[in-house]
Amino acid sequence: MSHSARLHTHTHRQRGGKEGGRNGEIQGGRRSDKPAARTPPQAAQRSAGVEEMTVHNLYIFDRNGICLHYSEWNRKKHAGISRDQEYQLMYGMLFSIRSFVNKMSPVDFRDGFLSFQTSKYKLHYYETATGLKIVMNTDLGVGNIRDILSQIYSTIFVELVVKNPLCSLNEPIQSELFRTKLDSFVRGLPFFSARAG
């Protein structure tokens, strides 16, 4: 990989069933049982050389690696390969990282791989019990967004795809309502900016 990278994993859930970047989060190979000090967004943006926080793109894969949906907002660079090849490359990387984290972890944990960070962007990962995978790439100033990805699944995907008899769960999503709702949701996030970069 061209950039130095850092993996974030999570060993267990917090009380009340909420999941976040506190107990058991591993950052750069160091584990802390205390809440990590949160860097103010403005400071994080300055240190990352980013004027405003933003969302680059989002992928949704089924358990077999089929890309059900892709959206992009502030993507500045493309892979130079076909979209299908990009989906395969992304899913293959996710599969490898997830397998590596599960096999090499020195402690038992449930949630596993949460995010992947390079010097330029941060990849956020959420996997459901049914194997659906949601991936969002953001700039470095964005913190833990596991709850947001979970919300995309429960309030948008489940309501507009799973409960829609016209949508097949193993084919790319064709619903225009789903696309519109997802786009509106992402653009309404507090860290979304169309002017970033």
Side-chain angles (χ1 to χ4, degrees):
M1 296 182 185
S2 60
H3 302 298
S4 59
R6 183 169 60 185
L7 294 177
H8 291 184
T9 62
H10 201 285
T11 58
H12 64 278
R13 299 182 178 182
Q14 300 175 29
R15 293 180 179 177
K18 292 185 178 180
E19 299 164 343
R22 290 195 174 195
N23 296 340
E25 186 174 47
I26 301 171
Q27 300 184 0
R30 298 177 62 186
R31 180 175 182 231
S32 173
D33 290 327
K34 297 180 180 180
R38 302 184 69 85
T39 304
Q42 295 84 356
Q45 293 170 43
R46 285 195 297 271
S47 64
V50 178
E51 294 181 0
E52 297 182 66
M53 293 186 288
T54 194
V55 176
H56 298 302
N57 53 5
L58 179 142
Y59 304 81
I60 300 178
F61 293 97
D62 73 1
R63 65 185 307 162
N64 298 314
I66 297 174
C67 186
L68 302 179
H69 178 77
Y70 173 79
S71 289
E72 63 181 53
W73 292 271
N74 297 298
R75 183 173 182 172
K76 305 300 181 183
K77 179 180 180 295
H78 289 79
I81 56 180
S82 72
R83 191 54 57 82
D84 286 340
Q85 288 176 314
E86 178 179 327
Y87 297 157
Q88 292 174 6
L89 188 63
M90 173 61 75
Y91 188 82
M93 184 195 72
L94 296 172
F95 182 86
S96 297
I97 292 178
R98 185 176 180 276
S99 177
F100 174 82
V101 168
N102 288 340
K103 291 179 179 178
M104 301 303 292
S105 173
V107 294
D108 292 329
F109 61 94
R110 298 178 184 175
D111 299 325
F113 170 50
L114 291 181
S115 64
F116 172 86
Q117 180 172 312
T118 75
S119 61
K120 298 294 184 181
Y121 71 95
K122 187 173 183 179
L123 181 151
H124 305 264
Y125 177 80
Y126 176 79
E127 183 173 350
T128 71
T130 59
L132 189 83
K133 300 166 180 63
I134 301 177
V135 179
M136 180 181 284
N137 286 317
T138 70
D139 71 273
L140 300 177
V142 178
N144 188 318
I145 59 170
R146 185 173 179 83
D147 288 343
I148 290 174
L149 298 183
S150 175
Q151 191 176 352
I152 289 175
Y153 170 70
S154 62
T155 65
I156 301 178
F157 183 83
V158 170
E159 293 298 321
L160 300 178
V161 178
V162 176
K163 295 183 179 181
N164 185 346
L166 299 179
C167 289
S168 173
L169 297 181
N170 57 358
E171 295 179 359
I173 300 168
Q174 302 297 328
S175 170
E176 190 61 35
L177 179 59
F178 171 83
R179 294 176 180 273
T180 301
K181 291 289 187 182
L182 178 61
D183 182 72
S184 177
F185 178 87
V186 171
R187 290 180 184 276
L189 293 173
F191 50 82
F192 180 90
S193 172
R195 303 187 302 276

